[in-house]
Amino acid sequence: MSEPVSESSSAPPRITFLGTGTSIGVPVIGCGCGVCVSDDPKNKRLRSSIWFQDGDFSVIVDTGPDFRQQCLRAGIEQVDAVLFTHAHSDHIMGFDDLRRFTVWEEDSLDIYATEACLERLKVSFDYVFNGENRYIGYFKPAPQVIDGPFTISDEENDTVWEILPLPVTHGKVETIGFLFSKAGTKRFAYIPDAKTLSDEAKEAIWEVPVLILDGLQEDEHPTHLSIAEACEIAAEAEVGRLLMTHFSCRVDYQELGPTLPANAELAYDEMVVEV
């Protein structure tokens, strides 16, 4: 279990992979393949999400249907901001579990999403947004529309992160990834769902130290990058380190991992990476 960063900690910023699975998770219901019946914990994958920490500053990207379980497993006690990549159910359906981070009536939590994603959240969770449930224990979001670069910050500790949304193609729903920078220096990019990257996204991730990218499986897929396609994008962008995520049960960690390029890895649930 990864532990929360304490107030006195001087640890570098870090990412915890809360989940690395595709939309149906791994193991898959009713599937008896070698990965789904594997005892290897790295082949057991909750829906894709990350927890980013910089000192006491705590940020979540995407809240899928496993979010409550992920918080309990990782020991998450505080969240300062939540970012959403898109409105597919495996990335938003744990939204109401964020209520634990706005317990008191005066509490609120910044959530960042495109206008299209926010509209879907408002349809799915009308009772959260209609203004009638600002009680103790209910979720009280403070919606922030992503329409260009923005910052997230911890004013008490003078922590500011610059976020650049990265347009990507993933099926028919508007989808973005994120480039995280601090003091003008790129630190990492997170793109969990993509088939193609826009020219803007490709330029933004050039030489990024850590790229976290969709790598669904070895076979090609109409809405997701394959392992080979993800590796090709990372090579073209000359990234320092490629970490793939959002795997199907066609990815066996121990079998596929050793075949990857030297700077490429398969992420796994509860993996912690310093950035």
Side-chain angles (χ1 to χ4, degrees), residues 7-270:
E7 294 185 3
S8 62
S9 173
S10 59
R14 65 181 186 175
I15 298 162
T16 300
F17 286 86
L18 298 179
T20 57
T22 189
S23 58
I24 54 177
V26 181
V28 176
I29 295 171
C31 183
C33 75
V35 171
C36 284
V37 301
S38 170
D39 292 330
D40 186 347
K42 293 179 180 177
N43 282 337
K44 299 186 185 303
R45 302 162 181 140
L46 301 180
R47 267 58 76 94
S48 290
S49 176
I50 60 170
W51 176 29
F52 170 64
Q53 298 166 274
D54 184 2
D56 294 327
F57 193 49
S58 175
V59 179
I60 299 292
V61 182
D62 290 335
T63 59
D66 304 314
F67 183 60
R68 175 181 174 276
Q69 181 181 353
Q70 292 168 336
C71 287
L72 292 171
R73 183 173 68 176
I76 299 175
E77 299 177 356
Q78 169 191 333
V79 174
D80 297 299
V82 183
L83 282 56
F84 288 96
T85 59
H86 64 298
H88 278 159
S89 63
D90 57 315
H91 293 261
I92 68 169
M93 292 311 292
F95 186 73
D96 187 67
D97 288 327
L98 290 167
R99 63 169 56 192
R100 190 64 184 92
F101 306 107
T102 62
V103 172
W104 305 112
E105 287 186 57
E106 66 275 13
D107 289 343
S108 65
L109 178 61
D110 287 335
I111 59 165
Y112 296 81
T114 63
E115 185 172 0
C117 184
L118 280 172
E119 288 305 311
R120 174 50 54 189
L121 286 168
K122 290 175 182 178
V123 170
S124 300
F125 301 94
D126 172 71
Y127 62 92
V128 172
F129 291 92
N130 64 18
E132 298 178 3
N133 293 302
R134 296 196 64 84
Y135 304 118
I136 290 175
Y138 284 76
F139 183 31
K140 297 171 282 293
Q144 311 292 329
V145 177
I146 296 175
D147 55 9
F150 60 99
T151 60
I152 53 176
S153 60
D154 176 5
E155 295 180 0
E156 289 185 9
N157 296 300
D158 197 27
T159 299
V160 178
W161 283 84
E162 302 128 18
I163 313 296
L164 178 66
L166 306 174
V168 299
T169 300
H170 167 55
K172 296 180 180 180
V173 64
E174 181 184 15
T175 308
I176 56 176
F178 298 106
L179 174 68
F180 286 70
S181 301
K182 191 172 186 181
T185 300
K186 300 175 187 178
R187 304 295 281 269
F188 73 97
Y190 182 63
I191 309 173
D193 279 68
K195 177 59 180 177
T196 58
L197 275 62
S198 65
D199 290 340
E200 177 186 346
K202 289 180 179 178
E203 181 179 355
I205 65 170
W206 175 260
E207 293 187 338
V208 68
V210 176
L211 171 62
I212 302 167
L213 186 59
D214 186 357
L216 181 73
Q217 57 197 27
E218 291 187 272
D219 297 337
E220 291 192 10
H221 189 276
T223 64
H224 289 273
L225 290 165
S226 69
I227 297 291
E229 289 169 334
C231 289
E232 182 178 353
I233 288 172
E236 290 176 352
E238 298 185 15
V239 306
R241 183 182 185 187
L242 170 64
L243 293 165
M244 284 172 279
T245 189
H246 212 285
F247 304 120
S248 77
C249 65
R250 295 185 177 186
V251 174
D252 185 298
Y253 186 90
Q254 301 300 340
E255 290 185 5
L256 185 56
T259 71
L260 298 175
N263 71 330
E265 303 169 60
L266 304 177
Y268 55 87
D269 287 25
E270 299 186 273

